[in-house]
Amino acid sequence: MPSFKKDNDTFPEIKAILVGERTEDGETEKFNVVFQRFRKEQYISTKWCNLIFENNTFFQEKRFGISIADGVDCYYTDKELQFSTFYYARQIFDLSECYRSATDSEVESFTTSSKLALDNSEAFKRMANTWIRRKIAMINDSQVLDNYSAKEIKSRAKLVGVDIDVKDKKIVIPKDKEKIKIILGFLDEEAYKGPFS
């Protein structure tokens, strides 16, 4: 793993924090590692006034730092990754190849959803490759279409620069495969607002 380094007063983005142990038994080695996803509020920034309590008074801390929570999101042991929620685990690792694909009946159900408007559902089903099927499965499992209206989804998409059209209270799924990927990626919470874009 690369060391954490400061470059021209900027710090690289932290995706996760990990700690682990390596044990050896003869010729066999074993690794146990715990991972915690890192959120931006865990930075202790020099831009703020950070006060540390010591000896009955507060002192201003002017150094950069991070805060580590007491929870664990993933645990790796015996060549197995364990986690409590897939949602948090995939914020640390790319697990897209490990997720199930939607069945034909799930794809059919997706195309007839009351929240979606497709011009040509047959063409969509023909283009539903493994990537699209995985996204459909993840969207179904997260219940995002059940929990949010088309209007709410459109408004949240706009905040991160994703264009979603709504017609008759339904999300319009375009014919263009690249635009479909953007919308499905957003519905699967793949889109995020970067510092520059």
Side-chain angles (χ1 to χ4, degrees), residues 19 25 56 73 85 119 121 127 151 153 167 174:
V19 64
D25 183 16
N56 295 325
D73 294 310
T85 70
D119 282 340
S121 60
M127 101 170 48
K151 184 179 176 182
I153 290 170
K167 182 180 177 184

Side-chain angles (χ1 to χ4, degrees), residues 142-188:
S142 73
Q143 299 181 329
V144 69
L145 293 175
D146 297 329
N147 296 334
Y148 298 93
S149 70
K151 184 179 176 182
E152 289 172 311
I153 290 170
K154 178 181 177 147
S155 124
R156 288 175 189 229
K158 189 176 182 179
L159 293 174
V160 293
V162 175
D163 249 349
I164 291 182
D165 291 328
V166 172
K167 182 180 177 184
D168 300 326
K169 298 183 180 179
K170 293 182 179 187
I171 296 166
V172 176
I173 303 295
K175 295 175 186 173
D176 181 72
K177 191 172 186 175
E178 289 310 307
K179 288 182 181 175
I180 289 172
K181 284 184 164 188
I182 290 168
I183 291 171
L184 295 182
F186 172 76
L187 292 173
D188 185 37

Side-chain angles (χ1 to χ4, degrees), residues 83-94:
F83 47 85
S84 54
T85 70
F86 186 77
Y87 175 74
Y88 291 149
R90 70 190 185 115
Q91 289 178 23
I92 300 169
F93 301 103
D94 178 7

Side-chain angles (χ1 to χ4, degrees), residues 58-85:
F58 283 97
F59 294 93
Q60 184 175 4
E61 179 57 69
K62 296 184 180 185
R63 293 174 295 172
F64 170 83
I66 60 172
S67 172
I68 299 174
D70 61 358
V72 169
D73 294 310
C74 299
Y75 176 56
Y76 174 84
T77 184
D78 291 329
K79 298 181 183 176
E80 179 179 276
L81 183 67
Q82 301 172 1
F83 47 85
S84 54
T85 70

Side-chain angles (χ1 to χ4, degrees), residues 92-136:
I92 300 169
F93 301 103
D94 178 7
L95 299 175
S96 56
E97 296 298 316
C98 305
Y99 206 79
R100 71 180 184 85
S101 291
T103 63
D104 288 342
S105 62
E106 283 178 298
V107 173
E108 173 71 34
S109 177
F110 188 80
T111 62
T112 59
S113 167
S114 62
K115 296 279 182 90
L116 303 175
L118 287 93
D119 282 340
N120 188 337
S121 60
E122 289 306 313
F124 180 86
K125 286 187 267 188
R126 282 193 301 274
M127 101 170 48
N129 59 16
T130 305
W131 187 91
I132 289 175
R133 286 175 177 266
R134 280 198 186 110
K135 288 296 167 196
I136 290 171

